[in-house]
Amino acid sequence: RAEEMLQRIEALHDDGYYEKSPDVCSYNSVINAYAHGKVSGASGHAHRLMKRMEEKGIEANSITWNTLLRCLLKEVKESRDKKVSEEKVEDAESIIANMEDLGFANTISYNTVISILSKSKLPDSAERSEVWLNQMIDQFAKTGNENIQPDTTSFNAVIHAYANTNRFSAGAPQRAKMAERVVKRMEKSFKSGENDQVKPDVVSYTAVINAYAKAAEFDEECATKAMDILNRMVKMYEGGDKDVKPNKRTYTSVINAFARTGKAEAADNLLTQMKELYALGDTSLKPDTVCYSSVIDGYAKVGGEEAGFRAEELLHEMENLYNQGDSDVKPNTRTYRSAITALGKSRQPRAAEKAEQILEEMEYMGSLGAHDLAPNTICYNAVIDAYARGRTMEKAYRAELLLEKMLEESAKGNTLIRPDTITFNSVINAAARSFGDSIVRREAYLIGLGAFKKIHEYEHCKPSSITYVLFLNVLKNLVEEGDARDNMAERTYQLSVSFGLANGKVREQVRKTCSPLVAERILSSNK
């Protein structure tokens, strides 16, 4: 609509109704509308408008170029395509180089290019963003030109580039160290008086903490590093530096770091600290769903009876607060799934039944219209796993009931709970772990066999090597030694071979299931 208005004004001017024609400010306003609007291809529209400006003899200024960069930043944020991100980054770097030649490049220009690199999540985005930061630093040192003086935003964008690494990347710990190195550069530059515009703030330190939190799964020391930085921020804030007051995201990042390393009590202690600070009047630290869910997830990773009790206790605390009107702590699917998992790993009496009760509560809330709380496949899998780990003799039967429900409901169109490979494997595992008299064991065997057959017939998922390991374990635990067991084990192994899934774990389970001579014959014939 902004461009339509511009075109109308141009037409009215051409027809003599307007004395003044649109100028650079007019075009900048339209480009800015594209930069902040919902229209796709913002940078393409901006380039087109700048071409029209050139044809009409209207010279673009620094605002024009910076707004073009803002269009590219918008597109990179929205893009999930690596190739598109690469193209936008190349365009941005070409534009900033052109701006340098024209004398238009300023702090905003460099910060936007660094942010584009940071948001692109390309493998070398952090290193490339730091190159541009170093270029700013060098040019400012040589010229003293305040228009290109790096500021806190410049450094924070680079820190975010290092922190934006995938938390499943093995290089995450090193990236976190690089992020901390950048904030130390800020501290040194500010304290020495070299640059009074680069004082680290809460965003700087929180980004570093977030980087360490992502890296914690690969190196437990990263969680300790995150906590050390939080403690330092608290100390600086208490010393009078209001710019580094830890916020909810700061605390949540450290909670995540501890939860990911299985240090649930440490995460829980931070949650308690947030509650206490909130009770004392710091409303900015009011715990929310993410905080609680992360702690519960930590207990799910730890396992054990106490972890199960505490996870359940925290879930009930959230539900009570929500029922009292606190919408900030409304449990979500992740919360319930983590509580179910914690119960499943707790091995406390009737843990699986409690887990299924939570699942039923989710189904009930979903039926009332709370579709965001409707259970999904992961939730069902967690309950089936809880039965597999539990002490009830009817574990295989209860697991089978859940599988049958998933198959029935997904056939009706509820793909949210469509069984996957983990579902079938969990049912087979429940059968393998069954105990009791001959009738119970016979029923468990038939349930395990049924699930094993179904996964080979089911069109929506395929067996994995774990499927064969688990079914071989069913045979080992529920079928008496002898020719019948050896024959079934051989057929199972041959089936795994035909699917290309006969790995070392499958072969090892064959040795545990079959008599030694038969196992040697089976395995040697398929070398």
Side-chain angles (χ1 to χ4, degrees):
R1 293 181 64 182
E3 186 171 359
E4 288 176 9
M5 189 174 293
L6 175 68
Q7 291 171 344
R8 287 175 63 188
I9 294 172
E10 285 178 332
L12 288 169
H13 169 73
D14 293 341
D15 292 341
Y17 290 101
Y18 268 37
E19 182 178 345
K20 190 175 180 181
S21 64
D23 57 12
V24 64
C25 293
S26 309
Y27 277 89
N28 287 352
S29 296
V30 178
I31 296 172
N32 188 57
Y34 279 117
H36 294 90
K38 296 181 179 180
V39 178
S40 60
S43 65
H45 290 295
H47 277 298
R48 176 176 52 76
L49 286 165
M50 289 178 70
K51 181 68 174 175
R52 195 198 306 176
M53 289 172 67
E54 184 180 349
E55 292 169 352
K56 291 181 174 292
I58 302 172
E59 188 174 337
N61 58 21
S62 60
I63 295 174
T64 317
W65 289 100
N66 283 339
T67 310
L68 169 58
L69 289 172
R70 288 289 305 178
C71 289
L72 289 167
L73 177 59
K74 171 181 178 287
E75 291 174 325
V76 165
K77 284 180 179 179
E78 296 172 350
S79 175
R80 295 291 180 271
D81 189 316
K82 181 181 176 182
K83 185 176 180 181
V84 171
S85 293
E86 287 175 343
E87 290 172 355
K88 302 305 175 186
V89 166
E90 288 177 7
D91 195 7
E93 290 184 322
S94 173
I95 289 167
I96 189 70
N98 191 30
M99 291 177 73
E100 286 176 333
D101 293 339
L102 295 170
F104 284 155
N106 56 25
T107 301
I108 294 173
S109 317
Y110 287 107
N111 287 355
T112 308
V113 171
I114 292 171
S115 293
I116 289 169
L117 278 160
S118 175
K119 300 296 182 183
S120 73
K121 296 184 180 179
L122 296 176
D124 60 346
S125 61
E127 290 78 8
R128 286 166 70 176
S129 66
E130 194 164 5
V131 168
W132 284 107
L133 174 63
N134 290 336
Q135 190 164 321
M136 288 178 75
I137 293 170
D138 291 343
Q139 288 187 12
F140 176 64
K142 289 176 183 177
T143 65
N145 182 359
E146 293 183 356
N147 288 331
I148 57 171
Q149 183 176 4
D151 57 16
T152 300
T153 302
S154 314
F155 279 85
N156 284 353
V158 176
I159 294 170
H160 278 297
Y162 282 114
N164 279 341
T165 184
N166 189 318
R167 74 181 178 91
F168 298 110
S169 168
Q174 183 59 33
R175 306 279 282 187
K177 290 177 182 176
M178 298 295 282
E180 187 176 15
R181 177 184 57 76
V182 176
V183 86
K184 286 180 177 177
R185 288 182 69 184
M186 295 176 74
E187 292 172 336
K188 181 179 178 182
S189 183
F190 179 75
K191 289 177 181 177
S192 68
E194 179 183 316
N195 188 343
D196 61 358
Q197 297 297 308
V198 295
K199 181 179 181 294
D201 58 13
V202 61
V203 176
S204 316
Y205 291 108
T206 300
V208 176
I209 287 174
N210 189 41
Y212 275 119
K214 289 181 177 179
E217 288 186 58
F218 294 94
D219 184 354
E220 290 188 7
E221 284 300 309
C222 288
T224 304
K225 292 282 285 183
M227 187 68 201
D228 289 344
I229 296 171
L230 172 58
N231 288 334
R232 188 168 163 227
M233 291 174 73
V234 171
K235 188 175 180 180
M236 287 190 290
Y237 172 67
E238 291 174 345
D241 189 346
K242 306 301 182 186
D243 293 332
V244 296
K245 178 184 180 296
N247 57 28
K248 188 184 297 185
R249 182 171 184 183
T250 317
Y251 276 90
T252 303
S253 293
V254 183
I255 286 173
N256 284 334
F258 282 128
R260 287 168 184 162
T261 56
K263 296 178 180 177
E265 286 189 13
D268 204 349
N269 289 339
L270 275 176
L271 176 62
T272 301
Q273 189 176 329
M274 291 179 74
K275 294 178 196 175
E276 291 171 349
L277 290 169
Y278 172 66
L280 291 172
D282 190 344
T283 56
S284 69
L285 292 180
K286 181 178 181 291
D288 59 12
T289 301
V290 176
C291 302
Y292 275 92
S293 298
S294 295
V295 176
I296 294 173
D297 192 48
Y299 281 116
K301 284 183 170 62
V302 172
E305 194 164 335
E306 287 301 317
F309 280 125
R310 183 56 180 155
E312 192 177 12
E313 187 177 47
L314 286 169
L315 174 60
H316 290 326
E317 182 179 321
M318 292 176 74
E319 289 176 329
N320 289 336
L321 288 169
Y322 177 66
N323 290 333
Q324 291 168 19
D326 188 351
S327 59
D328 291 335
V329 292
K330 178 185 177 184
N332 58 24
T333 305
R334 178 196 172 196
T335 317
Y336 286 111
R337 183 190 71 223
S338 296
I340 288 170
T341 303
L343 281 167
K345 290 183 178 180
S346 72
R347 298 185 66 81
Q348 59 178 266
R350 297 189 61 77
E353 287 80 0
K354 289 181 180 179
E356 187 168 6
Q357 186 178 356
I358 293 174
L359 184 73
E360 289 170 353
E361 288 176 12
M362 294 177 72
E363 289 174 332
Y364 177 69
M365 289 184 286
S367 69
L368 293 178
H371 301 299
D372 58 321
L373 294 179
N376 56 22
T377 300
I378 297 173
C379 297
Y380 270 84
N381 289 352
V383 176
I384 294 172
D385 184 63
Y387 275 115
R389 295 170 183 268
R391 302 174 183 178
T392 177
M393 283 195 295
E394 56 180 12
K395 60 171 67 182
Y397 171 68
R398 300 297 289 268
E400 183 187 37
L401 285 179
L402 288 166
L403 171 60
E404 292 299 332
K405 183 175 183 179
M406 295 173 75
L407 287 167
E408 183 180 336
E409 292 298 319
S410 60
K412 292 178 182 177
N414 184 7
T415 57
L416 196 65
I417 59 171
R418 176 181 289 161
D420 59 13
T421 302
I422 295 173
T423 314
F424 287 97
N425 286 352
S426 296
V427 174
I428 297 169
N429 190 35
R433 291 185 173 205
S434 292
F435 58 92
D437 59 30
S438 59
I439 296 175
V440 172
R441 291 165 61 81
R442 174 65 179 172
E443 182 182 29
Y445 163 72
L446 291 174
I447 288 170
L449 177 62
F452 184 71
K453 287 182 176 179
K454 282 176 185 172
I455 193 173
H456 287 86
E457 300 165 355
Y458 196 52
E459 62 177 319
H460 297 294
C461 66
K462 301 296 180 186
S464 66
S465 60
I466 298 297
T467 310
Y468 298 98
V469 171
L470 292 171
F471 186 66
L472 286 166
N473 203 29
V474 168
L475 299 177
K476 173 179 173 291
N477 294 337
L478 302 178
V479 178
E480 290 185 9
E481 290 185 52
D483 292 343
R485 188 166 90 179
D486 286 344
N487 289 336
M488 284 188 284
E490 181 172 7
R491 287 161 59 192
T492 301
Y493 179 69
Q494 295 298 345
L495 192 58
S496 73
V497 170
S498 69
F499 277 87
L501 297 171
N503 61 15
K505 290 184 178 180
V506 175
R507 290 192 288 272
E508 181 183 349
Q509 191 60 46
V510 168
R511 292 189 178 92
K512 292 178 180 179
T513 304
C514 299
S515 58
L517 289 175
V518 172
E520 184 61 32
R521 176 180 61 76
I522 293 171
L523 297 175
S524 62
S525 66
N526 284 281
K527 281 185 179 179

